[in-house]
Amino acid sequence: MTRLDVRLASRYMRSRRSARLFSLITLIATAGVTLGVTALIVVTGVMNGLQNELRSKILVASPHLRVLTFGRGLRIDDWRAVRDTVASHPEVVAIAPFVLSQGLVSAGADYAEGVYVVGMEPDTGTMAVTALPRHFLEGDLEFTTTLDDVDGGMVLGRRLADRLNAYPGDRVTVVAPAGSKFNSALGTFVPKWWTFEVTGLFHTGMYEYDNSYVLVNRELAQRYAGLDDAVTGLEVRLRDAWSAPQVGREIEDQLGYPYRTLDWQSQNASLFSALKLEKLAMGTILLLIVVVAAFNIVSTLTMLVRDKTREIGILRAMGLSVRDPSVYFIDHLPVHVQALDLLIILAATVGVATLATLYPARQAATLDPVDAIRYE
């Protein structure tokens, strides 16, 4: 924009007694666009923050990648050799075997709760596969017990502990799905009971983990699940969490059948897809605010062109160019959002606002100078 463009624009933006209505309408139209863009940016930022928070919560107890097998057995017998092979990948930072089973836990009352029993390595150092050790309220992954008549230690999620009224030092019993034996006298299977001492509590902020997960020593979990020396799979931590799908495919190719990988994005694909769809729907709805405000721009500028017909004719007779200058430019926003979202919002806003100016600008540009000067 030239200095002349700026001076003319500022001159006509200042209200006169005869043009106060146009100044008011211009202010309202500008405020409408500003409100729409602000709402769009704020809501998009909130949605991005929600997605980031969910990702961080999921990755507290979920690894970047899991190495599993096909088949109903869901077990890896030669897991040590597989572990060494996977650990040789340059993107792998830490790897550990895990056991996943289920059970029915009770603290001695009539109430029992179904839980996921997770067997983990007794590792509390920096090479842990997940960030779960950093979210312990009491105890750690050493599962150290103080009672003599228990099978081992167990760490409970805080929500589960509150419902069971079971805290560190208390005893809980768990019914295992494996190890039940047929009793000919009763004519039915008798389940196997395990007794654990609560040695710790954890709180991740993720309802699913805090509500239904319990942790035990990996070797004890192998006996609990009836896997002998096998494990359910391997948990892997990578240098970059976003590279998990690509690294997973490379590990599958390296290991071959019957091994498979499951990355954290695929495991939670339905959740992330729902959030993405919600973000798109909210953005589309809020963009309509900008579109509605653009109609105000069209009507305001159309009336302004008709009111300033004589002035436009004089400017055209003086040789002012008919080309429309670019007046909608935003170089700074006081919030932090994703670059792609910002580009989409700005492009859509500038596009709508620019299209709204074309008709009145075209109408002004096509005026004949002589006729415009004579216009009453």
Side-chain angles (χ1 to χ4, degrees):
M1 296 179 65
T2 65
R3 294 180 60 183
L4 177 60
D5 296 328
V6 175
R7 293 187 63 182
L8 289 173
S10 62
R11 170 64 180 81
Y12 286 108
M13 285 295 291
R14 293 195 299 267
S15 64
R16 295 178 300 173
R17 179 173 300 180
S18 60
R20 287 180 179 176
L21 178 60
F22 291 113
S23 298
L24 177 61
I25 296 176
T26 301
L27 180 61
I28 294 174
T30 304
V33 173
T34 302
L35 178 62
V37 174
T38 302
L40 191 56
I41 292 175
V42 170
V43 171
T44 303
V46 170
M47 295 299 297
N48 290 336
L50 177 61
Q51 291 182 2
N52 293 335
E53 183 68 15
L54 276 176
R55 292 189 187 103
S56 63
K57 294 296 185 183
I58 288 173
L59 290 176
V60 167
S62 180
H64 297 162
L65 195 67
R66 283 190 173 97
V67 180
L68 306 169
T69 59
F70 291 101
R72 293 177 299 175
L74 196 61
R75 55 185 289 163
I76 299 180
D77 293 287
D78 56 340
W79 61 269
R80 292 179 177 83
V82 176
R83 179 188 60 187
D84 295 339
T85 302
V86 175
S88 64
H89 195 284
E91 291 296 319
V92 174
V93 175
I95 182 172
F98 76 97
V99 175
L100 180 62
S101 184
Q102 295 183 354
L104 195 63
V105 61
S106 173
D110 294 334
Y111 178 77
E113 182 83 13
V115 295
Y116 291 99
V117 180
V118 182
M120 303 181 65
E121 292 288 270
D123 178 16
T124 59
T126 58
M127 295 304 293
V129 176
T130 67
L132 186 58
R134 297 197 295 270
H135 291 77
F136 274 42
L137 301 176
E138 298 183 49
D140 52 35
L141 286 177
E142 293 294 338
F143 304 106
T144 304
T145 61
T146 59
L147 302 178
D148 296 331
D149 56 342
V150 294
D151 297 300
M154 173 177 286
V155 178
L156 306 180
R158 180 57 186 267
R159 289 180 178 271
L160 177 63
D162 290 341
R163 286 205 313 279
L164 295 175
N165 195 27
Y167 300 98
D170 293 340
R171 181 184 287 104
V172 295
T173 57
V174 182
V175 180
S180 60
K181 297 182 180 179
F182 183 79
N183 188 307
S184 56
L186 299 176
T188 185
F189 284 92
V190 178
K192 181 174 177 58
W193 293 80
W194 294 73
T195 304
F196 295 93
E197 178 186 348
V198 179
T199 58
L201 302 175
F202 65 86
H203 177 72
T204 65
M206 191 74 173
Y207 180 82
E208 181 181 0
Y209 298 146
D210 299 335
N211 186 65
S212 56
Y213 275 62
V214 298
L215 312 177
V216 298
N217 183 281
R218 188 258 304 168
E219 295 181 352
L220 178 59
Q222 288 174 306
R223 299 196 302 271
Y224 172 88
L227 293 177
D228 297 326
D229 191 46
V231 297
T232 303
L234 299 173
E235 295 181 332
V236 182
R237 178 159 62 94
L238 306 175
R239 300 183 188 277
D240 180 14
W242 296 102
S243 66
Q246 176 63 29
V247 175
R249 289 190 292 269
E250 294 175 358
I251 291 177
E252 285 184 351
D253 295 338
Q254 186 177 9
L255 294 176
Y257 184 84
Y259 299 101
R260 62 187 177 94
T261 59
L262 180 63
D263 63 87
W264 67 277
Q265 297 179 53
S266 300
Q267 188 174 1
N268 300 279
S270 58
L271 175 60
F272 292 141
S273 297
L275 289 174
K276 185 176 181 180
L277 180 60
E278 183 179 3
K279 177 181 175 182
L280 178 61
M282 291 295 294
T284 302
I285 293 173
L286 291 174
L287 183 61
L288 295 178
I289 298 177
V290 182
V291 175
V292 171
F295 284 106
N296 292 333
I297 297 176
V298 174
S299 60
T300 301
L301 291 181
T302 300
M303 290 188 295
L304 185 62
V305 168
R306 293 181 61 86
D307 182 67
K308 303 297 183 183
T309 300
R310 181 184 297 274
E311 289 86 344
I312 293 172
I314 295 174
L315 292 175
R316 290 281 287 108
M318 294 172 60
L320 194 68
S321 173
V322 299
R323 183 176 179 180
D324 302 325
S326 176
V327 296
Y328 297 97
F329 180 73
I330 300 174
D331 60 357
H332 175 72
L333 292 174
V335 294
H336 294 285
V337 296
Q338 292 183 358
L340 180 60
D341 293 328
L342 182 59
L343 290 176
I344 293 175
I345 292 172
L346 293 180
T349 303
V350 173
V352 171
T354 302
L355 288 175
T357 66
L358 292 181
Y359 172 75
R362 179 66 177 173
Q363 185 181 14
T366 55
L367 285 175
D368 184 82
V370 177
D371 293 338
I373 296 173
R374 293 176 178 175
Y375 180 82
E376 292 294 340

